[in-house]
């Protein structure tokens, strides 16, 4: 290159990289066809960064996470999840700037997780609502919107359930996260997202459902507390206070608490059939 009067003013940039860690590739990654693997950045339950590895081929359906830096218990890899076509999405923790995980299970449902904790399953229907569609591949995730290619060769642009729309509900959920065990916290969150209005910009309906969930979770009937003269926040504090003694008294054999809801009324923003 020819030197000019501006040559000395041009800064020099050098790119340096060093290997921080290495990990043996899992079997499903080695066996998957060329170009079938995908990688995505997500966060676990505690907000730690993970690189998500999965295959787009159903027959090699496994999802595995690798911690980028700090890893719990010294383990770099997470447990394998049975599923495929996993991707990070700004969904239930969008207000915190953290990415949740979505993947497709072998029944064709989209599974929404926080780390490895399943929050809900998402079923798809065609625009007329007359038949269910099985998801086949996830791609092009922007904010909470993701492109879903179905097994019927339709392409949908689908909005995932987002963070709580009610500021009081968000604040209360944060209190529960700090005060409860992880098992109790994610059970409350699963029950919240059973209702398809939660995470869908309907703060009043969302708050009403949250109160019902808290009352049930705390183990007393809906008529126990009169909220007539209390604000939403005072009411929530009263519910938690009066119910705290009842939380551990729930029957240990309650099977319903392990149920994962399937939402079907998700926002389909655009639909296209690929011939």
């Amino acid at each position: 290159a020819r030197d000019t009067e501006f040559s000395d003013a041009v800064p020099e940039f050098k790119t340096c990289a060093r290997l921080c860690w290495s990990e043996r590739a899992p079997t499903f990654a080695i066996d998957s066809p060329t170009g079938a693997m995908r990688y995505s950045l997500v966060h676990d339950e505690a907000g730690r960064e993970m690189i998500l590895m999965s295959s787009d081929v159903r027959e090699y359906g496994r999802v595995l996470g690798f911690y980028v830096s700090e890893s719990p218990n010294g383990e770099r890899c997470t447990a394998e999840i049975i599923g495929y076509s996993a991707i990070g999405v700004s969904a239930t923790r969008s207000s915190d700037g953290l990415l949740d995980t979505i993947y497709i299970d072998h029944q064709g449902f989209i599974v929404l997780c926080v780390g490895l904790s399943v929050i809900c399953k998402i079923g798809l229907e065609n625009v007329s609502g007359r038949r269910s569609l099985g998801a086949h591949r996830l791609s092009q995730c922007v904010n909470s919107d993701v492109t879903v290619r179905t097994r019927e060769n339709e392409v949908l642009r689908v909005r995932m359930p987002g963070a709580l729309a009610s500021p009081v509900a968000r604040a209360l959920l944060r209190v529960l996260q700090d005060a409860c065990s992880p098992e109790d916290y994610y059970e409350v969150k699963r029950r919240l997202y059973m209702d398809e209005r939660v995470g869908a910009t309907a703060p009043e309906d969302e708050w009403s459902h949250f109160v019902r969930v808290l009352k049930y979770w705390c183990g007393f009937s809906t008529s126990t507390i009169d909220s007539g003269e209390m604000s939403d926040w005072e009411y929530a504090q009263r519910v938690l206070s009066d119910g705290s003694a009842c939380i551990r008294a729930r029957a240990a054999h309650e099977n319903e608490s392990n149920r994962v809801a399937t939402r079907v009324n998700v926002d389909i923003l655009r639909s296209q059939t690929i011939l």
Side-chain angles (χ1 to χ4, degrees), residues 3 10 68 167 187 225:
D3 289 338
V10 177
V68 174
E187 182 56 34
I225 299 176

Side-chain angles (χ1 to χ4, degrees), residues 242-261:
D242 287 11
S244 60
C246 305
I247 289 178
R248 294 300 177 186
R250 296 190 309 273
H253 61 275
E254 182 190 20
N255 293 325
E256 187 186 1
S257 65
N258 295 320
R259 182 162 58 93
V260 177

Side-chain angles (χ1 to χ4, degrees), residues 119-132:
I119 301 301
C120 64
K121 293 185 177 183
I122 297 167
L124 302 175
E125 294 180 348
N126 65 345
V127 176
S128 63
R130 294 178 181 175
R131 60 188 176 92
S132 298

Side-chain angles (χ1 to χ4, degrees), residues 206-267:
E206 188 178 80
W207 175 247
S208 299
H209 178 63
F210 200 163
V211 169
R212 289 194 297 272
V213 167
L214 286 177
K215 285 180 174 180
Y216 176 81
W217 185 249
C218 293
F220 48 80
S221 68
T222 57
S223 60
T224 304
I225 299 176
D226 181 10
S227 60
E229 300 298 325
M230 291 186 283
S231 69
D232 285 345
W233 185 246
E234 291 170 335
Y235 182 70
Q237 289 178 313
R238 179 69 184 277
V239 169
L240 286 176
S241 174
D242 287 11
S244 60
C246 305
I247 289 178
R248 294 300 177 186
R250 296 190 309 273
H253 61 275
E254 182 190 20
N255 293 325
E256 187 186 1
S257 65
N258 295 320
R259 182 162 58 93
V260 177
T262 300
R263 300 166 62 122
V264 293
N265 292 331
V266 292
D267 291 333

Side-chain angles (χ1 to χ4, degrees), residues 138-194:
L138 306 176
S139 63
Q140 299 173 343
C141 186
V142 179
N143 296 326
S144 60
D145 301 337
V146 62
T147 297
V148 183
R149 184 168 188 141
T150 72
R151 295 174 182 175
E152 293 79 10
N153 274 337
E154 290 189 46
V155 175
L156 309 175
R157 191 69 178 163
V158 178
R159 179 162 294 156
M160 296 294 110
L164 299 179
S166 165
V168 176
R170 283 201 305 270
L172 181 55
L173 193 63
R174 180 63 59 85
V175 171
L176 290 173
Q177 185 175 16
D178 293 339
C180 297
S181 68
E183 293 78 11
D184 281 347
Y185 170 72
Y186 283 107
E187 182 56 34
V188 170
K189 192 164 185 174
R190 271 190 290 273
R191 289 182 180 275
L192 273 178
Y193 279 86
M194 284 180 180

Side-chain angles (χ1 to χ4, degrees), residues 8-191:
D8 294 337
V10 177
E12 257 187 47
F13 294 97
K14 292 183 179 179
T15 301
C16 300
R18 64 185 180 87
L19 180 65
C20 294
W21 53 268
S22 63
E23 195 76 26
R24 179 177 174 80
T27 303
F28 75 85
I30 298 172
D31 295 340
S32 290
T34 303
M37 293 302 299
R38 65 161 59 204
Y39 306 89
S40 182
L41 181 68
V42 297
H43 297 91
D44 74 353
E45 292 90 338
R48 292 177 289 247
E49 289 183 335
M50 293 193 303
I51 297 173
L52 209 61
M53 174 188 291
S54 67
S55 174
D56 274 337
V57 181
R58 183 182 178 188
E59 289 72 18
Y60 298 95
R62 295 290 188 277
V63 180
L64 193 63
F66 293 90
Y67 283 95
V68 174
S69 54
E70 49 187 293
S71 53
N73 305 320
E75 295 290 337
R76 180 70 62 184
C77 299
T78 65
E80 284 189 357
I81 298 174
I82 305 300
Y84 62 101
S85 197
I87 194 170
V89 61
S90 179
T92 67
R93 298 183 292 173
S94 58
S95 58
D96 298 321
L98 300 177
L99 296 174
D100 297 338
T101 298
I102 52 175
Y103 66 89
I104 301 173
D105 68 11
H106 286 278
Q107 286 73 47
F109 290 103
I110 300 172
V111 183
L112 174 62
C113 302
V114 171
L116 298 180
S117 301
V118 176
I119 301 301
C120 64
K121 293 185 177 183
I122 297 167
L124 302 175
E125 294 180 348
N126 65 345
V127 176
S128 63
R130 294 178 181 175
R131 60 188 176 92
S132 298
L133 303 173
H136 174 66
R137 189 174 186 272
L138 306 176
S139 63
Q140 299 173 343
C141 186
V142 179
N143 296 326
S144 60
D145 301 337
V146 62
T147 297
V148 183
R149 184 168 188 141
T150 72
R151 295 174 182 175
E152 293 79 10
N153 274 337
E154 290 189 46
V155 175
L156 309 175
R157 191 69 178 163
V158 178
R159 179 162 294 156
M160 296 294 110
L164 299 179
S166 165
V168 176
R170 283 201 305 270
L172 181 55
L173 193 63
R174 180 63 59 85
V175 171
L176 290 173
Q177 185 175 16
D178 293 339
C180 297
S181 68
E183 293 78 11
D184 281 347
Y185 170 72
Y186 283 107
E187 182 56 34
V188 170
K189 192 164 185 174
R190 271 190 290 273
R191 289 182 180 275

